Amino acid sequence: MTITLPICGTEIDVDFDPAPIRQRYAEERARRLREDNFGQFQGFADVRAIDDTDQFSAPIERGAIAAEHDVVILGGGFGGLLAGAYLTQQGVTDFRIVEQAGDFGGTWYWNRYPGVQCDVESYIYLPLLEETGYLPTQRYADGDEILGHAQRIGRHFDLYRAALFQTSATSVRWSDTLQRWEIRTDRDDVLTARFVVRANGPLNKPQFPRVPGIADFKGAMFHTSRWDYGYTGGDQHGGMTNLRDKRVAIIGTGATGIQAVPFLAEDAAELFVIQRTPSLVGPRDNRPTDPAWAASLTPGWQQRRHHNFNSLVNGHPQDENLVGDIWTTILTAVTGRHLVEAPLESFALDDQVVLAEVADMQLMRTVHDRIEGIVANPATAEKLKPWFGAICKRPTFNDEYLQSFNRPSVHLIASANGVEKFTETGLVVDGEHYEVDCIVFATGFETGSSTADRYGYDIVGRNGLSMREEFAAGAKTLHGFFSAGFPNFVELGLSQNAYVVNFTYMLDRKARHAARVIGHALSRDIARIEPEDGAQAEWVQRTRESGLARLFYLATCTPGYYSGQGDLQHGFFGDVYQRSEIEYWEMIEKWWEAGAFEGLQLSSAELELQG
């Protein structure tokens, strides 16, 4: 069947009718919408049957610390490491890094589940490769290699000297009297600092489904971010020999579940994959690093690769595709640019939207075709097909996941309602009980709660201003870095700055910019940096307007953390500047090079004392 669609002033031939696909998308969304949105999840504190201790490092014994510093960095993942590295390059070395885990690494410290890998090419995902003289061993690095690189950065920039591991902030409060921040921790530390840099990360607090009976289950039960190899045996590369006589259920088929399932399928006697919504699963095509290619690299290669990749995924055509991965394939295909000869910008916005919808559906049909070509059982293949737009959820890439369902020991339990209840011996889905020995939660991380709830502390600024309350209706920043009422506080996480795919690139650019602003302030004895109210309000408005197109798109999607589980205003991208990353960072560079610090108030120490 061929249908000719009049789009953008031309006729485009497609082999499908968009109308029934659009209707199917709406039906699948309606089946999964819930009134409780984020209320359907709970955290570790609510699931006391599951251990949240740090099993990867021996307990660190030390006394409480009272100290003054120029900077305190909250978080020791890549964001905190990059902040420390760039501050060091600026000549700022009087800082502390407060980190909950027993070492650097952040999400890569905690997530050691079998099959864990980055889903962005490692040559652009791992930061500071040229600076540390390291090149990843394969195109998509395994988790232990990524963790090793985080530790390499820590050693290279002498950051271990500044780290307080197994330590969590409990209070971050600005002192109007001292004109400094006071940071208290769960070890009774009291740190004061001229600047606070928050680099806790947005996906740091594991979540579980709020389902009756979760504490009744008598078998093994753990979250993927706290994998129990003492129970399963093996390590993140597999070899879980203790599961050879075990029936295992894994709940969740997002990015983590997609990676873990093939290893569980290999080792468990039986595996039950509990799927509420299928994921888009594209080919990964991982391979070892080519020595000849590595030898051909010249200085500045990583920056050029970053720019090429970000240009393509942000809609800026390039003469070549240096990365050539599924991200650049998907995010260029869904624009529909390849379907018309004239530049997209020459068409009316309505025509661009229709063109993008058709291109998106065309892409999803190839995803369905791939499933049918791999999964032998037609009924199982049908259940694995995602019926939503290609970027409704973060796409996943794996070369063994779909193949796992051809094993007779692997069972796909697909239900839009998810798990109904837990029992002492298993779980119930759509009225049917499944007895299992072990339940693995691949159910992701909290994204709907406030940052204060997620991080375990509030930020309290001038005159007792609570960031929890001030940001209740959304973040308020200048360029995603600084906030009025919170002097010398810098946000490195996702907060009204541009971001599309590569999170560590965003962290790198934010850390670099934050470090040079802080370095400037310290070298010139500037006591306080804070946005002007008008400049901040203008940036908030620009940020919210930039996300209208994505909101329109997400309104058609099945619920997920991108869409706020159906509550669009609290989706993952709700406070993200959603125009081009390329244009955003060009704007930041021009702002810096101008030297006027437009939109910021910079007060000298002398003026502060006089005040």
Side-chain angles (χ1 to χ4, degrees):
M1 177 186 69
T2 300
I3 294 179
T4 301
L5 302 174
I7 302 175
C8 297
T10 187
E11 293 184 342
I12 297 175
D13 291 335
V14 295
D15 61 353
F16 60 90
D17 183 354
I21 296 176
R22 197 178 296 121
Q23 178 63 29
R24 179 68 183 271
Y25 285 3
E27 292 171 355
E28 294 297 330
R29 178 177 185 272
R31 290 176 62 203
R32 290 167 173 81
L33 277 176
R34 297 170 52 128
E35 292 184 0
D36 51 358
N37 302 116
F38 290 108
Q40 65 188 285
F41 299 110
Q42 55 188 334
F44 265 126
D46 306 306
V47 190
R48 303 195 181 278
I50 299 181
D51 190 7
D52 187 27
T53 58
D54 182 353
Q55 58 182 297
F56 305 120
S57 297
I60 298 172
E61 303 295 337
R62 66 168 179 83
I65 294 172
E68 295 184 4
H69 297 287
D70 285 335
V71 186
V72 166
I73 301 167
L74 303 175
F78 277 125
L81 286 163
L82 287 161
Y86 283 117
L87 284 170
T88 300
Q89 289 183 342
Q90 289 286 331
V92 179
T93 57
D94 181 16
F95 56 80
R96 282 281 190 182
I97 302 175
V98 178
E99 168 55 40
Q100 175 189 4
D103 203 336
F104 291 126
T107 190
W108 300 103
Y109 178 90
W110 295 109
N111 286 277
R112 307 193 191 193
Y113 58 85
V116 59
Q117 287 183 333
C118 55
D119 66 357
V120 174
E121 185 197 66
S122 57
Y123 313 126
I124 59 173
Y125 181 79
L126 272 63
L128 302 175
L129 289 177
E130 290 188 78
E131 291 82 352
T132 57
Y134 184 71
L135 197 64
T137 62
Q138 54 184 344
R139 191 181 186 199
Y140 296 98
D142 294 325
D144 51 1
E145 184 174 4
I146 300 173
L147 175 59
H149 185 63
Q151 296 165 343
R152 179 178 297 106
I153 292 172
R155 293 190 300 271
H156 184 86
F157 291 95
D158 193 24
L159 303 181
Y160 278 93
R161 63 164 181 83
L164 295 179
F165 292 126
Q166 292 182 355
T167 303
S168 298
T170 57
S171 171
V172 181
R173 180 178 291 269
W174 174 259
S175 169
D176 291 312
T177 302
L178 299 176
Q179 294 293 297
R180 297 174 74 91
W181 287 97
E182 182 183 86
I183 301 94
R184 294 180 179 268
T185 78
D186 58 356
R187 288 176 172 264
D188 296 324
D189 305 313
V190 180
L191 309 175
T192 58
R194 293 177 66 177
F195 288 86
V196 166
V197 176
R198 182 164 65 181
N200 290 120
L203 303 177
N204 72 326
K205 192 173 181 181
Q207 68 182 9
F208 302 82
R210 192 179 297 277
V211 176
I214 194 169
D216 297 335
F217 181 64
K218 301 300 185 184
M221 185 166 58
F222 49 85
H223 193 275
T224 49
S225 67
R226 302 293 189 275
W227 196 276
D228 187 358
Y229 285 109
Y231 177 82
T232 65
D235 57 27
Q236 57 192 276
H237 299 284
M240 296 178 286
T241 55
N242 295 351
L243 298 181
R244 288 177 179 170
D245 62 346
K246 299 293 192 297
R247 293 160 58 91
V248 179
I250 181 169
I251 301 173
T253 54
T256 296
I258 299 300
Q259 293 182 342
V261 160
F263 290 83
L264 290 171
E266 176 75 24
D267 293 327
E270 279 193 277
L271 177 64
F272 298 87
V273 181
I274 314 301
Q275 170 192 280
R276 188 165 64 175
T277 304
S279 284
L280 184 164
V281 185
R284 177 173 286 270
D285 189 26
N286 201 6
R287 53 184 179 269
T289 297
D290 179 6
W293 172 78
S296 72
L297 297 175
T298 57
W301 70 266
Q302 190 177 36
Q303 183 179 355
R304 293 191 293 272
R305 204 170 184 85
H306 275 142
H307 186 270
N308 180 263
F309 176 83
N310 285 326
S311 294
L312 288 168
V313 300
N314 281 274
H316 302 281
Q318 299 287 289
D319 292 336
E320 61 178 333
N321 186 342
L322 295 177
V323 174
D325 67 345
I326 199 71
W327 286 110
T328 53
T329 299
I330 288 177
L331 294 179
T332 54
V334 296
T335 65
R337 190 180 297 272
H338 61 290
L339 297 176
V340 293
E341 294 183 3
L344 287 181
E345 295 75 14
S346 64
F347 301 116
L349 182 58
D350 288 349
D351 282 339
Q352 291 184 43
V353 170
V354 174
L355 180 68
E357 181 189 42
V358 170
D360 196 310
M361 290 178 178
Q362 195 174 57
L363 174 65
M364 293 305 289
R365 285 175 63 80
T366 68
V367 172
H368 290 188
D369 290 344
R370 181 170 184 263
I371 295 169
E372 292 177 354
I374 292 174
V375 180
N377 186 313
T380 301
E382 193 60 37
K383 293 176 183 177
L384 287 166
K385 291 179 181 178
W387 288 95
F388 49 75
I391 50 177
C392 281
K393 302 176 183 294
R394 189 172 177 99
T396 68
F397 320 113
N398 197 282
D399 295 329
E400 292 85 30
Y401 175 75
L402 296 173
Q403 291 83 344
S404 298
F405 293 97
N406 291 331
R407 293 174 175 268
S409 59
V410 178
H411 315 285
L412 177 65
I413 313 300
S415 169
N417 300 315
V419 177
E420 179 182 329
K421 66 178 179 179
F422 295 94
T423 69
E424 291 188 0
T425 59
L427 46 81
V428 177
V429 180
D430 287 345
E432 185 169 351
H433 184 263
Y434 299 90
E435 290 203 0
V436 295
D437 302 293
C438 172
I439 297 175
V440 179
F441 291 91
T443 46
F445 301 86
E446 292 187 19
T447 58
S449 58
S450 69
T451 54
D453 295 328
R454 203 156 61 233
Y455 300 149
Y457 60 87
D458 194 5
I459 303 293
V460 180
R462 285 191 295 107
N463 302 316
L465 182 64
S466 162
M467 186 172 284
R468 184 203 304 262
E469 296 174 4
E470 183 71 0
F471 285 18
K476 299 176 183 178
T477 75
L478 178 66
H479 301 158
F481 287 87
F482 309 99
S483 294
F486 304 92
N488 299 357
F489 176 82
V490 187
E491 178 62 68
L492 284 198
L494 196 58
S495 178
Q496 297 190 329
N497 55 271
Y499 164 70
V500 175
V501 173
N502 189 357
F503 204 82
T504 56
Y505 175 79
M506 180 207 80
L507 292 175
D508 182 279
R509 296 297 84 187
K510 289 198 79 172
R512 173 177 173 267
H513 183 56
R516 62 191 182 184
V517 173
I518 292 172
H520 174 87
L522 292 174
S523 67
R524 289 161 177 77
D525 204 23
I526 293 170
R528 196 171 74 184
I529 292 178
E530 195 173 344
E532 298 171 354
D533 289 339
Q536 176 172 286
E538 181 183 349
W539 185 254
V540 170
Q541 184 65 21
R542 285 180 63 185
T543 297
R544 292 178 180 168
E545 289 175 354
S546 76
L548 294 178
R550 184 182 285 267
L551 280 176
F552 178 79
Y553 183 92
L554 290 173
T556 68
C557 295
T558 52
Y561 76 92
Y562 272 17
S563 63
Q565 303 298 337
D567 179 4
L568 296 178
Q569 296 299 325
H570 291 90
F572 186 72
F573 290 95
D575 276 324
V576 177
Y577 182 75
Q578 295 180 47
R579 296 203 176 106
S580 166
E581 276 183 289
I582 297 293
E583 294 172 359
Y584 170 83
W585 287 113
E586 287 177 350
M587 180 270 294
I588 292 293
E589 287 305 302
K590 290 177 181 177
W591 181 92
W592 171 257
E593 290 169 3
F597 297 91
E598 183 180 357
L600 279 185
Q601 296 174 319
L602 280 66
S603 305
S604 69
E606 182 179 351
L607 288 174
E608 291 297 332
L609 288 172
Q610 291 175 356

